[in-house]
Amino acid sequence: MRSVTLTRSFDADPASIADAMTDVEPFMAAAGFDEVSVDGDRIAVANRVGIATIELTLERTDGLGDGVADDDPPYVFEYVQREGIFEAMTTTYTVTPTDAGTEVTATTEFALDVAIVGDVLDATVIKRQRRRELNAQFDWLETQGVQET
């Protein structure tokens, strides 16, 4: 498995960040996907890469807690690929309270299906693209008027 992890601190309370992230369609669209549709826990995304279009069907699997109570685990928004180019792919967003506000960590773990991906994409290209997408989502979170701590 390969992985990409990004962390950013926000001057906001964890509940505000978690609320913004659970507005799933705009949060996913903020990554810059060309197409996003949400139907319950099913998320479909598509991205044009050169002459190819990559389509993924994801399933939302979050629900560990909201991180607000002292004994509550950090809020996690998570999805796994059900159909797509990867042998396996999971992205997890952890929202953790800090003294200065909130820290959000996004981690994507993936294994390439070489028979499908082949020479078109490699792990380096996927990691670079995923960093751009996660940074764009973090930028979007900053624009959501989250409640200041």
Side-chain angles (χ1 to χ4, degrees):
M1 289 287 260
R2 310 285 179 117
S3 84
V4 175
T5 299
L6 289 178
T7 299
R8 190 178 296 182
S9 295
F10 294 88
D11 185 18
D13 68 271
S16 295
I17 296 288
D19 285 347
M21 291 172 67
T22 57
D23 193 359
V24 177
E25 194 159 346
F27 180 65
M28 294 299 289
F33 296 117
D34 295 315
E35 297 173 32
V36 175
S37 68
V38 176
D39 183 11
D41 287 338
R42 184 187 159 280
I43 305 165
V45 297
N47 230 5
R48 285 180 266 304
V49 179
I51 60 171
T53 297
I54 297 172
E55 298 177 331
L56 303 177
T57 300
L58 311 168
E59 181 181 3
R60 187 173 158 186
T61 60
D62 60 305
L64 293 181
D66 64 9
V68 176
D70 289 340
D71 61 345
D72 204 7
Y75 176 82
V76 173
F77 174 74
E78 179 180 82
Y79 53 84
V80 297
Q81 174 195 271
R82 294 299 181 211
E83 295 177 30
I85 66 166
F86 298 100
E87 186 177 314
M89 190 276 294
T90 301
T91 298
T92 304
Y93 302 83
T94 306
V95 178
T96 308
T98 65
D99 291 339
T102 302
E103 182 176 89
V104 179
T105 300
T107 301
T108 297
E109 294 182 331
F110 64 94
L112 294 173
D113 186 343
V114 179
I116 294 175
V117 178
D119 294 329
V120 177
L121 297 172
D122 66 11
T124 303
V125 171
I126 291 169
K127 284 182 175 185
R128 188 177 321 125
Q129 176 65 26
R130 194 64 189 133
R131 279 188 196 96
R132 275 194 295 264
E133 293 164 356
L134 295 172
N135 270 313
Q137 285 180 313
F138 285 173
D139 291 346
W140 179 84
L141 285 173
E142 288 180 346
T143 69
Q144 294 310 294
V146 293
Q147 183 179 354
E148 302 242 345
T149 55

